[in-house]
Amino acid sequence: RERDAVPQVTAGDLLAKRTLPKPGKQGKDVRGRVLNPPRSERGLLYAGPNVIVEENDEEQLFFATGAGWARVVKDTLSIMQKFQHHGDVDYSTGNLRLEGDAEIQGNVKSRFTVAAKGDVYIGGSVERGGTVAAGGNVVVKLGIIGGKVKAQGSVYAHFIQDSQVEAGQDLLVRNYIRDSDVRSQRKATV
C-alpha cells in the first residue's frame, strides 16, 4: 500500500533544467539557395505559482519556493500546496502522506491511509479499516464507517458508525454516532 504515487517537493528543490537552444546557422539546399534557420523559441516552459527561474546564457533552472506537488499545465510549471485527487484512495494511489492540505473527492478505502500536515477533505466516506490523520481539520462529506480519524483541529462528518474518532478541537456530526469511540478536546455537537 506504500506506493509513493504522489511525488512531493520541498523549498529549494530543483524541478526542471532546460538547456536553451543555440541560434542556427545559414545553410544551402541542393540547388544552392540560402536557407535561414528557424527561430528558436526561448519560453517553452514558464514558472507558475511557487516556482522561480534562474537563467544564464545556456540554461534555465526551475526551483520550488515552497513544499507541495509539481504540476505542469499547458506550458506552466507550478507547485500546488493542496493535493487534489478525483478518485478513491485505494491501490491506484496507495497510502497518501502529505505535507500540506488534501482534497480527496472519493472514499478512503479499507486499510488505506491519508495523513496530512494540513486540513483533509474527503468527498465520500472513510470505510472500515481506513485511516485519516490531519494536523488541521478533517471534513468527511459522507460518513465514517468502521474507520479511524484523528485531527488536531475539528472533525466534521455526516455520521459516525463503528469508528474511532479523536478531535483536537470540536466534533460536529450532522446525523448520528453509533457504536463508536469518540473524543473531543472542546465540544461535540450531534
Side-chain angles (χ1 to χ4, degrees):
R1 288 180 181 78
E2 297 297 333
R3 293 194 52 209
D4 293 327
V6 183
Q8 299 179 65
V9 298
T10 57
D13 284 355
L14 176 64
L15 304 171
K17 178 179 172 181
R18 178 171 180 257
T19 303
L20 297 173
K22 295 181 180 169
K25 296 179 183 176
Q26 277 188 341
K28 293 185 180 182
D29 67 8
V30 292
R31 294 191 176 125
R33 289 182 293 198
V34 175
L35 296 174
N36 290 319
R39 201 173 125 218
S40 62
E41 291 292 328
R42 225 175 138 83
L44 294 176
L45 185 63
Y46 300 98
N50 303 311
V51 175
I52 59 168
V53 179
E54 292 181 8
E55 187 172 333
N56 58 37
D57 292 337
E58 297 178 5
E59 62 188 9
Q60 290 177 318
L61 301 173
F62 294 80
F63 291 96
T65 60
W69 302 270
R71 184 174 178 190
V72 177
V73 177
K74 294 188 181 179
D75 55 1
T76 304
L77 175 62
S78 304
I79 299 299
M80 310 308 290
Q81 293 180 325
K82 177 196 273 186
F83 176 74
Q84 295 178 317
H85 179 62
H86 297 287
D88 294 336
V89 175
D90 56 15
Y91 287 106
S92 65
T93 60
N95 293 330
L96 298 177
R97 300 186 194 292
L98 308 167
E99 292 295 318
D101 297 338
E103 182 177 332
I104 310 299
Q105 295 298 320
N107 303 309
V108 177
K109 294 292 194 175
S110 179
R111 296 173 39 196
F112 285 92
T113 299
V114 175
K117 291 186 178 177
D119 295 336
V120 175
Y121 170 83
I122 307 293
S125 62
V126 178
E127 296 182 2
R128 185 167 305 283
T131 303
V132 176
N137 302 317
V138 173
V139 175
V140 181
K141 188 172 181 184
L142 296 179
I144 305 168
I145 310 162
K148 292 182 182 179
V149 174
K150 183 174 183 178
Q152 290 182 8
S154 297
V155 175
Y156 170 83
H158 196 71
F159 65 88
I160 300 173
Q161 182 174 323
D162 300 323
S163 300
Q164 294 177 355
V165 178
E166 187 175 332
Q169 293 182 8
D170 297 334
L171 175 68
L172 302 133
V173 180
R174 185 171 175 110
N175 275 344
Y176 65 87
I177 299 174
R178 182 181 299 154
D179 299 326
S180 298
D181 179 11
V182 177
R183 298 169 193 228
S184 173
Q185 296 296 321
R186 292 186 22 195
K187 67 179 181 176
T189 305
V190 180

